[in-house]
Amino acid sequence: MTAAITALPHRAATFVAALAFALTCAAALPATAQGFETEARAAYVVDHGTGQVLLAHNADVPLPPASMSKLMTLLMTFEALQEGRLTLETRLPVSEHAMSFGGSTMFLNTSDRPTVEDLIRGVIIVSGNDASVALAEALSPDGTEEGFARIATERARELGMTQTTIRNGSGWPTAGHVMSMRDLGILAEEIITAHPEYYDYFAETEFDYENRSPANRFNRNPLLGMGIGADGLKTGHTQEAGYGLVGSAMQGGRRITFVITGLPSAAARAREAERITSWALRQFVEREVVEAGTEMARAPVFMGAAADVGLAPASDLALLLPAMGEPALSAEVSYISPVIAPVAEGAELGTLRVTLGEGQDAVEHVIPLVATGTVAEGGMLTRLGTAARAVLYELIGPPPVPITAGG
């Protein structure tokens, strides 16, 4: 594929195309993309290592999150621990408000003083509404669940969770308490990345506080114990929301995080969670799409002993691509044209911007482009010739300079 630019001193020259490396990579794959059809009302899947979004189905629709929103309470608890405002051994009071909640609970009462660690386990493993509210009240600037909701919503905005409004600490059905599946994915990724010291709690399979709830001691995450690398995070269920799960799993050094909601039953949630995990970990492969030192373009050189110099990426780039189907892969080479002599080999002269995907889910990688050789300053004849051409260009305008890439 060929494009023409006008090469004036210090003018930005940009060439946009699916470059040869991208086209070669795509050509090796079948022509038809294989999309994943999910039974969930909304779903979101992201590759933890690359940040690439593998699936986004109604991912930006704000929906009732049920107990999946307890992850927000947990994140803010982990942040308070990190900042020293709480310790795992800190004992917290249980208010009448916290004790009043039904549904899934630790069966706390107002005479209890559970530790923060007890409450964390109570939230993660038995999905205790009372435990969540006790933590929320402890984190609140005014000691109320409403106060916690305000700061939790503010923290969500700071993390880029634009479709989240927190009304309580437990996910109890409340008007206006909503989160999108993408926001829950952002939240899960933050917990995994920023607080690995607490992440092991999510893989624990049972917890019974003082032998009060033996029938409610098991972790509801259906993927734990399946041997598929699942190690988190949180289930959710209300009549309005249906059955949902924020999950994460690792196999062969690759971690994926996913969110699903709106399933009709716990069994359907388990099946869909396993399907998504299997698909996300098996249907994508890492491919090298940029090789350091491969010439991508040639830039004109002003006042140089040579007319132009090659541009090559300074580093390799590997991307996660569908094992079947054609990836939406494009690239852009940008540099200042012309380059002013002298030019040293390895000097950074531009950038290569590689984009995988489209729209909001696109992932961009920017790699410096460096000179593939040295170009010295031209001699007297070169300078005279350049000066003469400059005068001529002022009279009739410069000629177009082609930049060519395979494709």
Side-chain angles (χ1 to χ4, degrees):
M1 185 173 184
T2 302
I5 62 168
T6 301
L8 293 175
H10 307 292
R11 180 174 179 179
T14 302
F15 172 71
V16 182
L19 292 176
F21 67 88
L23 294 174
T24 301
C25 179
L29 303 173
T32 304
Q34 302 294 317
F36 182 85
E37 296 293 333
T38 178
E39 298 175 11
R41 177 182 178 187
Y44 178 77
V45 185
V46 63
D47 181 77
H48 179 76
T50 64
Q52 292 173 216
V53 176
L54 309 182
L55 176 68
H57 171 62
N58 294 329
D60 298 300
V61 179
L63 296 169
S67 288
M68 295 186 292
S69 72
K70 287 182 171 76
L71 290 175
M72 195 71 215
T73 307
L74 289 166
L75 172 66
M76 297 189 71
T77 300
F78 297 155
E79 290 176 342
L81 288 167
Q82 188 175 58
E83 294 163 6
R85 293 184 285 120
L86 291 174
T87 70
L88 291 175
E89 295 76 30
T90 301
R91 292 190 176 274
L92 297 178
V94 178
S95 68
E96 290 187 5
H97 176 61
M99 186 185 72
S100 70
F101 278 83
S104 182
T105 75
M106 284 175 62
F107 295 96
L108 297 172
N109 59 61
T110 55
S111 65
D112 289 323
R113 293 296 181 269
T115 66
V116 169
E117 186 172 38
D118 288 333
L119 294 171
I120 289 171
R121 285 195 166 104
V123 172
I124 293 173
I125 301 167
V126 303
S127 198
N129 292 317
D130 48 1
S132 297
V133 175
L135 285 172
E137 290 174 340
L139 296 166
S140 171
D142 62 6
T144 69
E145 195 175 9
E146 292 77 11
F148 168 79
R150 288 192 296 272
I151 63 171
T153 300
E154 291 171 4
R155 181 66 181 120
R157 294 290 184 273
E158 292 171 358
L159 291 170
M161 297 164 59
T162 60
Q163 301 302 314
T164 289
T165 301
I166 300 297
R167 299 293 190 206
N168 58 57
S170 65
W172 193 262
T174 304
H177 184 82
V178 293
M179 304 178 77
S180 71
M181 299 308 101
R182 187 188 304 274
D183 285 0
L184 279 164
I186 292 171
L187 177 56
E189 287 285 285
E190 178 69 13
I191 288 173
I192 294 168
T193 302
H195 303 285
E197 67 272 34
Y198 305 119
Y199 188 64
D200 287 348
Y201 289 123
F202 290 95
E204 293 185 8
T205 57
E206 58 182 285
F207 173 68
D208 185 7
Y209 179 68
E210 295 186 348
N211 199 34
R212 293 187 188 179
S213 54
N216 190 43
R217 71 183 188 275
F218 297 109
N219 195 320
R220 291 165 172 77
N221 187 338
L223 300 185
L224 298 180
M226 283 190 179
I228 60 175
D231 52 14
L233 293 158
K234 189 72 190 72
T235 58
H237 170 246
T238 63
Q239 185 173 356
E240 182 183 14
Y243 288 82
L245 173 65
V246 180
S248 190
M250 177 179 282
Q251 289 182 17
R254 267 194 66 212
R255 175 178 291 281
I256 59 99
T257 300
F258 69 90
V259 190
I260 54 176
T261 193
L263 278 304
S265 67
R269 173 176 63 190
R271 287 193 302 270
E272 192 66 4
E274 187 174 12
R275 283 184 66 231
I276 279 184
T277 301
S278 177
W279 168 79
L281 289 170
R282 294 195 177 108
Q283 295 304 314
F284 293 85
V285 294
E286 190 173 276
R287 295 179 185 269
E288 186 174 278
V289 295
V290 173
E291 185 178 353
T294 301
E295 186 175 297
M296 292 290 171
R298 297 196 68 81
V301 177
F302 184 70
M303 290 287 194
D308 55 22
V309 65
L311 302 178
S315 60
D316 299 333
L317 174 64
L319 294 177
L320 198 66
L321 300 176
M324 299 181 65
E326 183 175 335
L329 192 61
S330 62
E332 175 182 291
V333 171
S334 299
Y335 58 89
I336 299 297
S337 177
V339 179
I340 308 300
V343 180
E345 183 176 358
E348 186 174 330
L349 301 178
T351 59
L352 171 65
R353 185 183 304 274
V354 180
T355 303
L356 178 62
E358 299 173 335
Q360 185 176 0
D361 294 325
V363 177
E364 289 190 344
H365 301 267
V366 179
I367 303 170
L369 289 174
V370 298
T372 59
T374 298
V375 180
E377 287 185 317
M380 184 60 68
L381 290 178
T382 299
R383 293 172 179 274
L384 290 173
T386 300
R389 285 194 298 274
V391 172
L392 184 61
Y393 291 170
E394 286 293 326
L395 297 175
I396 65 174
V401 179
I403 301 176
T404 304

